[in-house]
Coordinates of all heavy atoms in Angstrom, one line a residue:
Chain X
A50 N -8.2 26.3 46.3 CA -7.2 25.2 46.3 C -6.3 25.3 47.6 O -5.6 26.3 47.7 CB -6.3 25.4 45.1
V51 N -6.5 24.3 48.4 CA -5.8 24.4 49.7 C -4.3 24.5 49.6 O -3.7 25.2 50.4 CB -6.3 23.2 50.6 CG1 -5.6 23.3 52.0 CG2 -7.8 23.1 50.8
R52 N -3.8 23.8 48.6 CA -2.4 23.7 48.5 C -1.7 25.0 47.8 O -0.5 25.1 47.8 CB -2.0 22.5 47.6 CG -2.1 21.2 48.6 CD -2.1 20.0 47.6 NE -0.9 19.8 46.9 CZ 0.2 19.2 47.4 NH1 0.1 18.6 48.6 NH2 1.3 19.0 46.8
R53 N -2.5 25.8 47.3 CA -2.1 27.0 46.6 C -2.5 28.3 47.2 O -2.1 29.4 46.7 CB -2.5 27.0 45.2 CG -2.0 25.8 44.4 CD -2.5 25.8 43.0 NE -2.1 24.7 42.3 CZ -2.8 24.1 41.3 NH1 -4.1 24.7 41.0 NH2 -2.4 23.0 40.7
T54 N -3.4 28.3 48.1 CA -4.1 29.4 48.7 C -3.9 29.5 50.1 O -4.0 28.5 50.8 CB -5.6 29.4 48.3 OG1 -5.7 28.8 47.0 CG2 -6.2 30.8 48.3
N55 N -3.8 30.7 50.7 CA -3.6 30.9 52.1 C -5.1 31.0 52.8 O -5.8 31.9 52.6 CB -2.8 32.1 52.4 CG -2.6 32.2 53.9 OD1 -2.7 31.2 54.7 ND2 -2.3 33.4 54.4
L56 N -5.4 29.9 53.4 CA -6.6 29.9 54.3 C -6.3 30.1 55.8 O -7.1 29.7 56.6 CB -7.2 28.4 54.1 CG -7.9 28.1 52.8 CD1 -8.2 26.6 52.7 CD2 -9.2 28.9 52.7
G57 N -5.1 30.5 56.0 CA -4.7 30.7 57.4 C -3.4 29.9 57.7 O -2.9 30.1 58.7
Q58 N -3.0 29.1 56.7 CA -1.7 28.3 57.0 C -0.5 29.2 57.2 O 0.3 28.9 57.9 CB -1.4 27.3 55.8 CG -2.4 26.5 55.3 CD -3.2 27.0 54.1 OE1 -3.7 28.1 54.1 NE2 -3.2 26.2 53.0
T59 N -0.5 30.3 56.5 CA 0.6 31.2 56.5 C 0.2 32.6 57.1 O -0.2 33.5 56.4 CB 1.1 31.5 55.1 OG1 1.1 30.3 54.3 CG2 2.5 32.1 55.1
P60 N 0.2 32.6 58.4 CA -0.2 33.8 59.1 C 0.6 35.1 58.6 O 1.8 34.9 58.3 CB 0.1 33.6 60.5 CG 0.3 32.1 60.7 CD 0.8 31.6 59.4
G61 N 0.0 36.2 58.5 CA 0.6 37.4 58.1 C 0.5 37.7 56.7 O 0.7 38.8 56.2
E62 N 0.2 36.7 55.9 CA -0.1 36.8 54.4 C -1.6 37.1 54.2 O -2.4 36.8 55.1 CB 0.3 35.6 53.6 CG 1.8 35.3 53.6 CD 2.6 36.2 52.8 OE1 2.3 36.3 51.6 OE2 3.6 36.7 53.3
P63 N -1.9 37.7 53.0 CA -3.3 37.9 52.8 C -4.1 36.5 52.7 O -3.6 35.5 52.2 CB -3.4 38.4 51.3 CG -2.0 39.0 51.1 CD -1.1 38.2 51.9
N64 N -5.3 36.5 53.4 CA -6.1 35.3 53.5 C -7.3 35.4 52.6 O -7.9 36.4 52.7 CB -6.4 35.2 55.0 CG -7.1 33.9 55.3 OD1 -7.9 33.4 54.5 ND2 -6.9 33.4 56.5
I65 N -7.5 34.3 51.9 CA -8.6 34.4 50.8 C -9.9 34.6 51.6 O -10.8 35.2 51.0 CB -8.5 33.1 50.0 CG1 -9.5 33.2 48.8 CG2 -9.0 31.9 50.8 CD1 -9.0 34.1 47.7
L66 N -10.0 34.2 52.9 CA -11.3 34.3 53.6 C -11.6 35.7 53.8 O -12.8 35.9 54.1 CB -11.1 33.4 54.9 CG -10.9 32.0 54.7 CD1 -10.8 31.2 56.0 CD2 -11.9 31.3 53.7
D67 N -10.6 36.6 53.7 CA -10.9 38.0 54.0 C -11.9 38.6 52.9 O -12.6 39.5 53.2 CB -9.6 38.9 54.0 CG -8.7 38.5 55.1 OD1 -9.2 37.8 56.0 OD2 -7.4 38.8 55.0
I68 N -11.8 38.0 51.7 CA -12.8 38.5 50.7 C -14.0 37.6 50.5 O -14.8 37.8 49.7 CB -12.0 38.7 49.3 CG1 -11.5 37.4 48.8 CG2 -10.9 39.7 49.4 CD1 -11.2 37.4 47.3
L69 N -14.1 36.6 51.4 CA -15.2 35.6 51.2 C -15.9 35.4 52.6 O -15.7 34.4 53.2 CB -14.6 34.2 50.8 CG -14.0 34.2 49.4 CD1 -13.3 32.8 49.2 CD2 -14.9 34.5 48.3
P70 N -16.6 36.4 53.0 CA -17.3 36.3 54.3 C -18.1 35.0 54.4 O -18.9 34.8 53.5 CB -18.1 37.6 54.4 CG -18.1 38.1 53.0 CD -16.9 37.6 52.3
P71 N -17.9 34.2 55.5 CA -18.6 33.0 55.6 C -20.1 33.1 55.7 O -20.8 32.1 55.3 CB -18.1 32.4 56.9 CG -17.5 33.5 57.6 CD -17.0 34.5 56.6
E72 N -20.6 34.2 56.0 CA -22.1 34.4 56.1 C -22.7 34.6 54.8 O -23.9 34.4 54.5 CB -22.5 35.5 57.0 CG -22.1 36.9 56.4 CD -20.6 37.3 56.9 OE1 -19.9 36.4 57.3 OE2 -20.3 38.5 56.6
R73 N -21.8 34.8 53.8 CA -22.2 35.1 52.5 C -21.9 33.9 51.5 O -22.6 33.4 50.6 CB -21.7 36.3 51.9 CG -21.9 36.6 50.4 CD -22.3 38.0 50.1 NE -22.6 38.1 48.7 CZ -22.1 39.1 48.0 NH1 -21.4 40.1 48.5 NH2 -22.4 39.2 46.7
Y74 N -20.7 33.3 51.7 CA -20.2 32.3 50.8 C -20.0 30.9 51.6 O -19.5 30.9 52.6 CB -18.9 32.7 50.1 CG -19.0 33.9 49.3 CD1 -18.5 35.2 49.7 CD2 -19.6 33.8 48.0 CE1 -18.6 36.3 48.8 CE2 -19.7 34.9 47.2 CZ -19.3 36.1 47.6 OH -19.3 37.3 46.8
T75 N -20.3 29.9 50.8 CA -19.9 28.5 51.3 C -18.5 28.3 50.7 O -18.3 28.3 49.5 CB -20.9 27.5 50.8 OG1 -22.1 27.7 51.4 CG2 -20.3 26.1 51.2
I76 N -17.5 28.0 51.6 CA -16.2 27.8 51.1 C -16.0 26.3 50.8 O -16.5 25.4 51.5 CB -15.2 28.1 52.2 CG1 -15.2 29.5 52.6 CG2 -13.7 27.7 51.7 CD1 -14.9 30.5 51.6
L77 N -15.5 25.9 49.6 CA -15.4 24.6 49.2 C -13.9 24.3 49.0 O -13.4 24.5 47.9 CB -16.1 24.3 47.9 CG -16.2 22.9 47.3 CD1 -16.7 21.9 48.2 CD2 -16.9 22.9 46.0
P78 N -13.3 23.8 49.9 CA -11.8 23.5 49.8 C -11.6 22.4 48.8 O -12.4 21.5 48.8 CB -11.4 23.1 51.2 CG -12.5 23.4 52.1 CD -13.7 23.4 51.3
N79 N -10.6 22.6 48.0 CA -10.4 21.4 47.0 C -8.9 21.0 47.0 O -8.1 21.7 47.6 CB -10.8 21.9 45.6 CG -9.9 22.9 44.9 OD1 -8.7 22.7 44.8 ND2 -10.4 24.1 44.6
T80 N -8.7 19.9 46.4 CA -7.4 19.2 46.5 C -6.6 19.4 45.1 O -5.9 18.4 44.8 CB -7.6 17.7 46.8 OG1 -8.4 17.1 45.7 CG2 -8.2 17.5 48.2
A81 N -6.8 20.5 44.5 CA -6.1 20.8 43.3 C -4.6 20.5 43.5 O -4.1 20.9 44.6 CB -6.3 22.1 42.8
G82 N -3.9 19.9 42.6 CA -2.5 19.6 42.7 C -2.2 18.3 43.4 O -0.9 18.1 43.6
C83 N -3.2 17.5 43.8 CA -2.8 16.3 44.5 C -2.9 15.1 43.4 O -3.8 15.0 42.7 CB -3.9 16.0 45.5 SG -3.8 17.2 46.9
Y84 N -1.8 14.3 43.5 CA -1.7 13.2 42.5 C -1.8 11.8 43.1 O -1.5 10.8 42.4 CB -0.3 13.4 41.6 CG -0.4 14.6 40.8 CD1 -0.1 15.8 41.3 CD2 -0.8 14.5 39.4 CE1 -0.1 16.9 40.5 CE2 -0.9 15.6 38.6 CZ -0.6 16.9 39.2 OH -0.7 18.0 38.4
D85 N -2.0 11.7 44.4 CA -2.2 10.5 45.1 C -3.2 10.5 46.2 O -3.5 11.6 46.7 CB -0.8 9.9 45.6 CG -0.2 10.9 46.6 OD1 -0.6 10.8 47.8 OD2 0.7 11.8 46.2
V86 N -3.7 9.4 46.7 CA -4.7 9.2 47.6 C -4.3 10.0 48.9 O -5.0 10.8 49.5 CB -5.0 7.7 47.9 CG1 -6.0 7.6 48.9 CG2 -5.5 7.1 46.6
E87 N -3.1 9.6 49.4 CA -2.6 10.1 50.7 C -2.6 11.6 50.8 O -3.1 12.2 51.7 CB -1.3 9.5 51.0 CG -1.0 9.5 52.5 CD 0.5 9.5 52.8 OE1 1.2 8.9 52.0 OE2 0.9 10.1 53.8
T88 N -2.0 12.3 49.7 CA -1.9 13.7 49.7 C -3.3 14.3 49.7 O -3.6 15.3 50.4 CB -1.1 14.2 48.6 OG1 0.1 13.4 48.4 CG2 -0.7 15.6 48.7
A89 N -4.2 13.7 48.8 CA -5.5 14.3 48.8 C -6.3 14.2 50.2 O -6.9 15.2 50.5 CB -6.3 13.5 47.7
V90 N -6.1 13.0 50.8 CA -6.9 12.9 52.0 C -6.3 13.9 53.1 O -7.0 14.5 53.9 CB -6.8 11.4 52.5 CG1 -7.2 11.3 54.0 CG2 -7.5 10.6 51.6
R91 N -4.9 13.9 53.1 CA -4.3 14.8 54.1 C -4.7 16.2 53.9 O -4.9 17.0 54.8 CB -2.7 14.6 54.0 CG -2.1 15.1 55.3 CD -0.5 15.0 55.2 NE 0.0 14.1 54.2 CZ 0.7 14.4 53.1 NH1 0.9 15.7 52.8 NH2 1.1 13.5 52.3
T92 N -4.8 16.7 52.6 CA -5.1 18.0 52.3 C -6.6 18.4 52.7 O -6.8 19.4 53.3 CB -5.1 18.3 50.8 OG1 -3.6 18.0 50.4 CG2 -5.4 19.7 50.3
C93 N -7.4 17.4 52.6 CA -8.8 17.6 53.1 C -8.9 17.8 54.7 O -9.6 18.6 55.2 CB -9.7 16.5 52.7 SG -10.1 16.5 51.0
R94 N -8.0 17.0 55.3 CA -8.0 17.1 56.8 C -7.4 18.5 57.2 O -7.9 19.1 58.1 CB -7.1 15.9 57.3 CG -7.9 14.6 57.2 CD -7.3 13.4 57.9 NE -8.1 12.3 57.7 CZ -7.6 11.1 57.3 NH1 -6.3 10.9 57.2 NH2 -8.4 10.0 57.2
L95 N -6.4 18.9 56.5 CA -5.8 20.3 56.8 C -6.8 21.3 56.7 O -7.0 22.2 57.5 CB -4.6 20.5 55.9 CG -4.1 21.9 55.9 CD1 -3.5 22.3 57.2 CD2 -2.9 22.1 54.8
A96 N -7.7 21.2 55.5 CA -8.7 22.2 55.3 C -9.8 22.2 56.4 O -10.1 23.3 57.0 CB -9.4 21.9 54.0
R97 N -10.1 21.0 56.9 CA -11.1 20.9 58.0 C -10.5 21.5 59.2 O -11.3 22.3 60.0 CB -11.4 19.4 58.2 CG -12.5 19.2 59.3 CD -13.1 17.9 59.3 NE -12.2 16.8 59.4 CZ -12.5 15.5 59.4 NH1 -13.7 15.1 59.2 NH2 -11.6 14.5 59.5
E98 N -9.3 21.4 59.5 CA -8.7 22.0 60.7 C -8.7 23.5 60.6 O -9.1 24.3 61.4 CB -7.2 21.6 60.7 CG -6.9 20.8 62.0 CD -5.5 20.3 61.9 OE1 -4.5 21.1 62.0 OE2 -5.3 19.0 61.6
L99 N -8.3 24.0 59.4 CA -8.1 25.5 59.2 C -9.5 26.1 59.2 O -9.6 27.3 59.6 CB -7.5 25.8 57.8 CG -6.0 25.4 57.7 CD1 -5.6 25.4 56.2 CD2 -5.2 26.4 58.5
L100 N -10.6 25.3 58.8 CA -11.9 25.9 58.7 C -12.8 25.4 59.8 O -14.0 25.4 59.7 CB -12.5 25.6 57.4 CG -11.8 26.1 56.2 CD1 -12.4 25.6 54.9 CD2 -11.9 27.7 56.1
D101 N -12.1 25.1 61.0 CA -12.9 24.8 62.2 C -13.9 23.7 62.0 O -15.2 23.9 62.4 CB -13.6 26.0 62.8 CG -12.6 27.2 63.0 OD1 -11.6 26.9 63.5 OD2 -12.9 28.3 62.6
G102 N -13.5 22.6 61.4 CA -14.4 21.4 61.4 C -15.4 21.4 60.2 O -16.2 20.5 60.0
H103 N -15.2 22.4 59.3 CA -15.9 22.4 57.9 C -15.7 21.0 57.2 O -14.6 20.6 56.9 CB -15.4 23.5 57.2 CG -16.0 23.7 55.8 ND1 -17.1 24.6 55.7 CD2 -15.7 23.2 54.6 CE1 -17.4 24.5 54.4 NE2 -16.6 23.7 53.7
N104 N -16.7 20.3 56.9 CA -16.6 19.0 56.3 C -16.8 18.9 54.8 O -16.5 17.9 54.3 CB -17.8 18.1 57.0 CG -17.3 17.5 58.2 OD1 -16.1 17.1 58.3 ND2 -18.2 17.3 59.1
L105 N -17.3 20.0 54.2 CA -17.6 19.9 52.8 C -16.2 20.2 52.0 O -15.6 21.1 52.2 CB -18.6 21.0 52.4 CG -19.1 21.1 51.0 CD1 -20.0 19.8 50.7 CD2 -19.8 22.3 50.7
V106 N -16.0 19.2 51.1 CA -14.7 19.4 50.3 C -15.0 18.9 48.9 O -15.9 18.2 48.6 CB -13.5 18.5 50.9 CG1 -13.0 18.9 52.2 CG2 -14.0 16.9 50.9
K107 N -14.1 19.5 48.0 CA -14.2 18.9 46.6 C -12.9 18.2 46.4 O -11.7 18.7 46.5 CB -14.2 20.1 45.6 CG -14.5 19.6 44.2 CD -14.4 20.5 43.1 CE -12.9 20.4 42.6 NZ -12.6 21.1 41.2
L108 N -13.0 16.8 46.1 CA -11.9 16.0 46.0 C -11.6 16.0 44.5 O -12.4 15.7 43.6 CB -12.3 14.6 46.4 CG -11.3 13.5 46.1 CD1 -10.0 13.6 46.9 CD2 -11.9 12.1 46.4
E109 N -10.2 16.1 44.3 CA -9.7 15.7 42.9 C -8.4 15.1 43.1 O -7.5 15.5 43.9 CB -9.6 16.9 42.0 CG -8.9 18.2 42.5 CD -8.9 19.3 41.4 OE1 -8.1 19.4 40.6 OE2 -9.8 20.2 41.6
V110 N -8.2 13.9 42.5 CA -6.9 13.3 42.4 C -6.5 13.2 40.9 O -7.2 12.4 40.2 CB -6.9 11.9 43.1 CG1 -5.5 11.3 43.3 CG2 -7.6 11.9 44.5
L111 N -5.4 13.8 40.6 CA -5.1 13.9 39.1 C -4.2 12.7 38.7 O -3.4 12.2 39.5 CB -4.4 15.3 38.8 CG -5.3 16.5 39.4 CD1 -4.6 17.8 39.0 CD2 -6.7 16.4 38.7
G112 N -4.2 12.5 37.4 CA -3.4 11.4 36.9 C -2.1 11.7 36.3 O -1.2 11.0 36.4
D113 N -2.0 13.0 35.8 CA -0.7 13.4 35.4 C -0.7 14.9 35.3 O -1.7 15.6 35.2 CB -0.2 12.7 34.1 CG -0.9 13.1 32.9 OD1 -1.3 14.3 32.7 OD2 -1.3 12.2 32.2
E114 N 0.5 15.5 35.3 CA 0.6 17.0 35.3 C 0.3 17.6 34.0 O 0.1 18.8 33.9 CB 2.0 17.3 35.8 CG 2.3 16.9 37.2 CD 3.6 17.5 37.7 OE1 4.1 18.4 37.3 OE2 4.1 16.9 38.6
K115 N 0.4 16.8 32.9 CA 0.2 17.4 31.5 C -1.3 17.6 31.2 O -1.7 18.6 30.8 CB 0.9 16.5 30.5 CG 0.8 17.2 29.1 CD 1.3 16.3 28.0 CE 0.9 16.9 26.6 NZ 1.0 16.0 25.6
T116 N -2.0 16.5 31.4 CA -3.4 16.5 30.9 C -4.3 17.0 32.1 O -5.5 17.5 31.8 CB -3.9 15.2 30.4 OG1 -3.9 14.3 31.6 CG2 -3.0 14.5 29.4
L117 N -3.9 16.8 33.3 CA -4.7 17.0 34.5 C -6.1 16.2 34.4 O -7.0 16.5 35.2 CB -5.0 18.5 34.6 CG -3.9 19.5 34.6 CD1 -4.4 20.9 34.9 CD2 -2.9 19.1 35.8
F118 N -6.1 15.1 33.7 CA -7.2 14.2 33.8 C -7.2 13.5 35.2 O -6.2 13.3 35.8 CB -7.0 13.0 32.8 CG -7.7 13.4 31.4 CD1 -6.7 13.5 30.3 CD2 -9.0 13.6 31.3 CE1 -7.3 13.8 29.0 CE2 -9.4 13.9 29.9 CZ -8.6 14.0 28.9
P119 N -8.4 13.3 35.7 CA -8.5 12.6 37.0 C -8.0 11.2 36.9 O -8.1 10.6 35.8 CB -9.9 12.6 37.3 CG -10.6 12.7 36.0 CD -9.7 13.5 35.1
D120 N -7.4 10.7 38.1 CA -7.1 9.2 38.1 C -8.3 8.6 38.9 O -8.4 8.9 40.1 CB -5.8 9.1 38.9 CG -5.4 7.6 39.2 OD1 -6.3 6.8 39.2 OD2 -4.3 7.4 39.5
V121 N -9.2 8.0 38.1 CA -10.4 7.5 38.8 C -10.2 6.5 39.8 O -11.0 6.3 40.8 CB -11.5 7.2 37.7 CG1 -11.8 8.4 36.8 CG2 -11.1 6.0 36.8
I122 N -9.2 5.7 39.7 CA -9.0 4.6 40.6 C -8.6 5.2 42.0 O -9.2 4.9 43.0 CB -7.7 3.7 40.2 CG1 -8.0 3.3 38.7 CG2 -7.6 2.5 41.1 CD1 -9.2 2.5 38.5
A123 N -7.6 6.1 41.9 CA -7.2 6.9 43.1 C -8.4 7.7 43.7 O -8.5 7.8 45.0 CB -5.9 7.7 42.9
T124 N -9.1 8.2 42.9 CA -10.3 9.1 43.3 C -11.2 8.2 44.0 O -11.7 8.7 45.2 CB -10.9 9.7 42.1 OG1 -9.9 10.6 41.4 CG2 -12.0 10.6 42.5
L125 N -11.5 7.0 43.5 CA -12.5 6.2 44.2 C -11.9 5.8 45.7 O -12.7 5.9 46.7 CB -12.7 4.9 43.4 CG -13.9 5.0 42.4 CD1 -13.8 4.1 41.3 CD2 -15.2 4.9 43.1

Side-chain angles (χ1 to χ4, degrees):
Chain X
V51 179
R52 290 163 62 86
R53 295 181 188 146
T54 321
N55 186 20
L56 286 165
Q58 307 99 305
T59 319
E62 295 286 310
N64 185 326
I65 192 78
L66 301 180
D67 295 343
I68 63 164
L69 298 172
E72 66 278 10
R73 174 139 178 221
Y74 295 108
T75 294
I76 303 296
L77 179 61
N79 71 60
T80 62
C83 294
Y84 292 85
D85 61 79
V86 175
E87 203 203 329
T88 314
V90 170
R91 200 181 339 112
T92 300
C93 289
R94 288 185 180 136
L95 171 62
R97 182 160 59 180
E98 243 173 73
L99 290 166
L100 296 170
D101 303 318
H103 180 92
N104 271 324
L105 186 69
V106 292
K107 193 192 87 162
L108 170 67
E109 50 183 276
V110 189
L111 304 181
D113 69 45
E114 296 187 25
K115 184 184 169 196
T116 68
L117 305 181
F118 275 115
D120 177 335
V121 297
I122 312 297
T124 299
L125 273 156

